[in-house]
Amino acid sequence: MDLQLKGKTALVTGASMGIGRAIAKGLAGEGVKLCIAARRKDLLEELAREIAGIGGPQPDIIEADVMPEGAAERLAAEAYKRLGHIDILVNSAGGSQPALPVDAPESKWMESMMLNFIRVRQLTHATLPGMIERRWGRVINISGKSEPERLIAATPAKAAVHAWSKGLSREVGKHGITVNCIQPGRIMSEQIRRKYSPEFRAKQSAEEIPVGRYGEPEELASLAVFLASPVACYITGAVLPVDGGLRRFAF
Ligand SMILES: NC(=O)c1ccc[n+]([C@@H]2O[C@H](COP(=O)([O-])OP(=O)(O)OC[C@H]3O[C@@H](n4cnc5c(N)ncnc54)[C@H](OP(=O)(O)O)[C@@H]3O)[C@@H](O)[C@H]2O)c1
């Protein structure tokens, strides 16, 4: 299938590792000109070399921490400067920490809300005016599974992403812009390797994941690339799991 992505532009956050990196590579493989952003410049440079190696357009690198005040707006402005316009925004920067006790300091909750929701919303809103002007755009948010097993601060932040995305999709559909969320379920990445031992992963794969293993970032990236394409113009306001069947509820 021709995804009609050649010549489009994209800003991908969290592109230094894991899911964001795989999506960046997938888009570049379809001829998308990228701005790749994260804190670790050396990893972004390595990705840029890999993209050049597969014949993709040379990506622009933006070394940026999204946490400081105003970081989202600065990142959007820098990406506009480098790319001229932004057709596709992939929000993949994020992460979760171990479960919190009920008396955890407020800062732990605020930190997760800032990284996983507030900066995502701010970056998207700063990117949207150009998309609205050009009457075309794609916003893809990498969220998380919404089953709150314990007090994990990222869970309500990701739920906020789902609720905001839905509202936004209803607002900007008339401008040719779609907004979707992908819920990764145990996709092998830096944070997953850090949090779950090989023994835990094997046990969970056998007991809870119908396909019997953790997924690879590329297995999620293929959906993101499809959603980013003009071909996916009628899919918006959706929350789509890529989790090997881990999620237990049907709706
Ligand atoms: N893998 C899963 O199964 C899973 C499950 C649920 C949700 N998710 C979500 O999927 C997304 C991607 O995660 P991943 O699993 O691919 O994790 P990962 O390999 O740890 O990648 C996280 C990415 O986010 C970037 N990042 C983190 N904090 C940042 C900051 N303050 N400023 C700028 N960039 C920052 C990291 O880059 P630098 O460190 O270089 O800045 C990195 O590129 C996240 O939003 C995560 O919450 C993943």
Side-chain angles (χ1 to χ4, degrees):
M1 184 192 294
D2 175 12
L3 291 176
Q4 302 164 27
L5 276 164
K6 202 170 167 48
K8 298 250 182 251
T9 60
L11 168 59
V12 182
T13 71
S16 61
M17 286 300 290
I19 292 168
R21 188 180 203 282
I23 294 173
K25 248 184 117 170
L27 288 170
E30 294 293 324
V32 175
K33 165 83 178 151
L34 298 173
C35 254
I36 48 177
R39 291 167 300 185
R40 285 172 290 177
K41 193 173 174 207
D42 53 330
L43 295 179
L44 295 174
E45 285 170 347
E46 193 182 299
L47 173 60
R49 282 193 294 275
E50 270 184 42
I51 287 173
I54 58 167
Q58 186 65 39
D60 268 290
I61 289 170
I62 304 180
E63 182 186 355
D65 183 346
V66 297
M67 290 300 269
E69 195 63 35
E73 292 77 7
R74 283 194 295 277
L75 176 54
E78 190 58 35
Y80 266 107
K81 205 159 89 187
R82 309 270 188 104
L83 293 171
H85 70 275
I86 300 171
D87 293 312
I88 301 156
L89 171 64
V90 179
N91 286 306
S92 190
S96 71
Q97 298 293 327
L100 294 173
V102 288
D103 61 351
E106 191 59 18
S107 59
K108 289 280 178 199
W109 290 97
M110 288 309 293
E111 203 179 288
S112 184
M113 198 49 112
M114 192 60 73
L115 175 64
N116 290 297
F117 172 57
I118 295 175
R119 292 295 184 246
V120 169
R121 176 179 55 75
Q122 290 172 337
L123 177 62
T124 306
H125 287 219
T127 306
L128 277 168
M131 291 182 179
I132 291 171
E133 201 179 303
R134 291 171 60 84
R135 302 199 58 74
W136 201 91
R138 297 283 182 267
V139 178
I140 298 163
N141 302 310
I142 308 305
S143 57
K145 95 184 160 81
S146 358
E147 286 167 311
E149 288 160 17
R150 285 161 298 152
L151 272 185
I152 294 171
T155 310
K158 299 293 193 181
V161 171
H162 294 160
W164 155 78
S165 293
K166 185 67 180 173
L168 182 64
S169 71
R170 296 187 57 81
E171 183 66 31
V172 299
K174 59 180 176 284
H175 302 297
I177 301 167
T178 67
V179 186
N180 291 292
C181 296
I182 301 178
Q183 295 178 298
R186 302 297 193 244
I187 300 292
M188 286 302 284
S189 69
E190 193 176 43
Q191 57 160 339
I192 292 291
R193 283 190 179 85
R194 190 175 58 236
K195 283 193 294 199
Y196 306 112
S197 66
E199 295 72 32
F200 177 89
R201 297 201 297 259
K203 187 169 179 312
Q204 190 188 38
S205 296
E207 291 173 1
E208 286 188 53
I209 304 179
V211 306
R213 62 176 175 82
Y214 279 33
E216 294 302 324
E218 293 71 23
E219 292 170 318
L220 184 150
S222 51
L223 173 61
V225 172
F226 175 72
L227 289 175
S229 76
V231 176
C233 57
Y234 205 61
I235 304 171
T236 193
V239 178
L240 302 159
V242 177
D243 65 0
L246 172 65
R247 201 176 79 143
R248 284 170 188 263
F249 52 93
F251 305 105

